[in-house]
Amino acid sequence: MVDLTILGTASMVPTKQRNVQSFYLEFKGEGMLFDCGEGTQRQMNIAGIARTKIKKIFITHWHGDHVAGLLGLIQTIGNSGYTDTLRVYGPIETKERFDTLMSSTIFENKMNIKVEEINPKDEAVVVETDLYEVTCIPVEHGVPALAYSFHEKPRTRVDMATCKKLGLQEGPQVGKLSRGEPVEHNGKRILPKDVTYTVPGKKIVFIPDTQPCENLIKIAQSADILICESTFANEHKHKAEDFKHMTAEYAARVAADADVQRLLLTHFSQRYPSVDHLVEEARTIFPETEAAFDLQKITL
Ligand SMILES: [Zn+2]
Ligand SMILES: [Zn+2]
C-alpha cells in the first residue's frame, strides 16, 4: 500500500484554506517528502505524521513556495535523535542552495545528510530499491525544475486456487514458487509461471510548476494518480503563459494524453477563493479530475 498525504496545495502564498506545496508519501514505513513549503512541519502535526519517518526529500525547484520549510524541518529532525541518513535530491544548484540555507541560522547539525543534484536530459532513475523506483524528468519553468514519479515495482502473487488444483498446500513449496523457483510435486515439475501472476505496482506522479511540454506526458504515462500544478483558470491563460505555469485545462490534456487513472489539480493561485471552475474546465477534457485539498489522504 502507498499512503499519500497532501500537505499543501497553494501557489506562492498560503491562504486560510491552503498551505504552500508539499506532499508526503509513505511506503512500507519509509517516508518521502516531495517539496517542503513554509509551514510543512505544522501541516505534518495536524496530519499526524512523525517527521522522523522522512528518509528522502525530493525538491522540484528552488522557488520559495517549494523549499522555505526545509530549514525548520531539518532542524527538528536533527534535534530528535535521528540516526538514519537523510537524503535530499533536487535539480542543479541544489547543493549550493542547500548549504546556503543550512548556514543561514545558528544551528549545529548532528545528523548525516546527503544531498544529490540531478541534471537529467531525459527521464532518469533517482532512487531504485527492490520495492520501488523514483524517477525524474526536466520540466520547463524558466529555472532548473524536475517532475518526479514514484513507481512501486510489480509484485508476484501465487494463485492458491490453481495451487490447490495441483494438490499444493500453503507451505515451503508454495514459498519457493513465489520466489520464482520451480518445484517437484507428485512426480511433476511445476514452474512458477504455472501458478503465479503479476500485480502491477502503483504509480504516483508529481508535476510541479511548469509550462506544458512533452516531458510531462512522458513521466505521467499510465500513472494511477497524477498530481499536477494548475495555477490558473482559462480566464488567466495569458498569465500561465507569461509565468511558465499550467492552466487546469493544460493539466487535463496531460492526464488524457498520458492515459492516467486520476488527476488531482494543485498549486492554486490565491486569486481563486473557490477552484470549482478550474475543476470544471479540466473535466471537459479529463472527467476523472478533482481538486486536491490540504490534509487529504489517499491510500493506493
Ligand atoms: Zn510554486
Ligand atoms: Zn515555481
PDB file of all heavy atoms in Angstrom, residues 61 63 65-66 141 209 245, ligand 2:
ATOM      1  N   HIS A  61      12.009  22.326  -7.406  1.00  0.00           N
ATOM      2  CA  HIS A  61      12.787  23.505  -7.802  1.00  0.00           C
ATOM      3  C   HIS A  61      12.895  24.426  -6.600  1.00  0.00           C
ATOM      4  O   HIS A  61      12.232  24.216  -5.584  1.00  0.00           O
ATOM      5  CB  HIS A  61      12.172  24.185  -9.023  1.00  0.00           C
ATOM      6  CG  HIS A  61      10.825  24.804  -8.813  1.00  0.00           C
ATOM      7  ND1 HIS A  61       9.726  24.074  -8.415  1.00  0.00           N
ATOM      8  CD2 HIS A  61      10.394  26.085  -8.936  1.00  0.00           C
ATOM      9  CE1 HIS A  61       8.681  24.875  -8.324  1.00  0.00           C
ATOM     10  NE2 HIS A  61       9.048  26.099  -8.615  1.00  0.00           N
ATOM     11  N   HIS A  63      12.143  27.648  -6.016  1.00  0.00           N
ATOM     12  CA  HIS A  63      11.275  28.776  -5.681  1.00  0.00           C
ATOM     13  C   HIS A  63      10.814  28.593  -4.226  1.00  0.00           C
ATOM     14  O   HIS A  63      10.559  27.462  -3.779  1.00  0.00           O
ATOM     15  CB  HIS A  63      10.074  28.859  -6.630  1.00  0.00           C
ATOM     16  CG  HIS A  63      10.407  29.519  -7.941  1.00  0.00           C
ATOM     17  ND1 HIS A  63       9.719  29.269  -9.104  1.00  0.00           N
ATOM     18  CD2 HIS A  63      11.361  30.449  -8.249  1.00  0.00           C
ATOM     19  CE1 HIS A  63      10.235  30.007 -10.088  1.00  0.00           C
ATOM     20  NE2 HIS A  63      11.224  30.723  -9.594  1.00  0.00           N
ATOM     21  N   ASP A  65       8.188  28.920  -2.445  1.00  0.00           N
ATOM     22  CA  ASP A  65       6.961  28.221  -2.020  1.00  0.00           C
ATOM     23  C   ASP A  65       7.132  26.696  -2.019  1.00  0.00           C
ATOM     24  O   ASP A  65       6.251  25.975  -1.550  1.00  0.00           O
ATOM     25  CB  ASP A  65       5.740  28.646  -2.858  1.00  0.00           C
ATOM     26  CG  ASP A  65       5.917  28.490  -4.351  1.00  0.00           C
ATOM     27  OD1 ASP A  65       7.048  28.639  -4.846  1.00  0.00           O
ATOM     28  OD2 ASP A  65       4.914  28.212  -5.048  1.00  0.00           O
ATOM     29  N   HIS A  66       8.275  26.219  -2.500  1.00  0.00           N
ATOM     30  CA  HIS A  66       8.522  24.771  -2.534  1.00  0.00           C
ATOM     31  C   HIS A  66       9.596  24.314  -1.545  1.00  0.00           C
ATOM     32  O   HIS A  66       9.753  23.121  -1.312  1.00  0.00           O
ATOM     33  CB  HIS A  66       8.903  24.333  -3.959  1.00  0.00           C
ATOM     34  CG  HIS A  66       7.806  24.603  -4.935  1.00  0.00           C
ATOM     35  ND1 HIS A  66       7.012  23.609  -5.452  1.00  0.00           N
ATOM     36  CD2 HIS A  66       7.333  25.768  -5.441  1.00  0.00           C
ATOM     37  CE1 HIS A  66       6.106  24.154  -6.247  1.00  0.00           C
ATOM     38  NE2 HIS A  66       6.275  25.466  -6.258  1.00  0.00           N
ATOM     39  N   HIS A 141      10.185  25.621 -16.521  1.00  0.00           N
ATOM     40  CA  HIS A 141       9.639  26.644 -15.626  1.00  0.00           C
ATOM     41  C   HIS A 141      10.538  27.887 -15.598  1.00  0.00           C
ATOM     42  O   HIS A 141      10.359  28.766 -14.756  1.00  0.00           O
ATOM     43  CB  HIS A 141       9.491  26.009 -14.226  1.00  0.00           C
ATOM     44  CG  HIS A 141       8.809  26.849 -13.219  1.00  0.00           C
ATOM     45  ND1 HIS A 141       7.678  27.594 -13.481  1.00  0.00           N
ATOM     46  CD2 HIS A 141       9.089  27.083 -11.895  1.00  0.00           C
ATOM     47  CE1 HIS A 141       7.302  28.230 -12.371  1.00  0.00           C
ATOM     48  NE2 HIS A 141       8.150  27.944 -11.416  1.00  0.00           N
ATOM     49  N   ASP A 209       5.566  23.247 -10.893  1.00  0.00           N
ATOM     50  CA  ASP A 209       5.449  24.440 -11.723  1.00  0.00           C
ATOM     51  C   ASP A 209       6.143  24.214 -13.073  1.00  0.00           C
ATOM     52  O   ASP A 209       7.338  23.903 -13.117  1.00  0.00           O
ATOM     53  CB  ASP A 209       6.120  25.628 -11.019  1.00  0.00           C
ATOM     54  CG  ASP A 209       5.655  25.797  -9.581  1.00  0.00           C
ATOM     55  OD1 ASP A 209       5.057  24.871  -9.039  1.00  0.00           O
ATOM     56  OD2 ASP A 209       5.917  26.868  -9.017  1.00  0.00           O
ATOM     57  N   HIS A 245       3.514  28.591 -16.295  1.00  0.00           N
ATOM     58  CA  HIS A 245       2.694  27.747 -15.438  1.00  0.00           C
ATOM     59  C   HIS A 245       1.648  27.034 -16.293  1.00  0.00           C
ATOM     60  O   HIS A 245       1.534  27.273 -17.491  1.00  0.00           O
ATOM     61  CB  HIS A 245       1.995  28.592 -14.365  1.00  0.00           C
ATOM     62  CG  HIS A 245       2.858  28.830 -13.171  1.00  0.00           C
ATOM     63  ND1 HIS A 245       3.222  27.828 -12.305  1.00  0.00           N
ATOM     64  CD2 HIS A 245       3.435  29.972 -12.691  1.00  0.00           C
ATOM     65  CE1 HIS A 245       3.985  28.342 -11.344  1.00  0.00           C
ATOM     66  NE2 HIS A 245       4.139  29.624 -11.557  1.00  0.00           N
TER      67      HIS A 245
HETATM   68 ZN    ZN B   2       7.977  27.922  -9.240  1.00  0.00          ZN
END
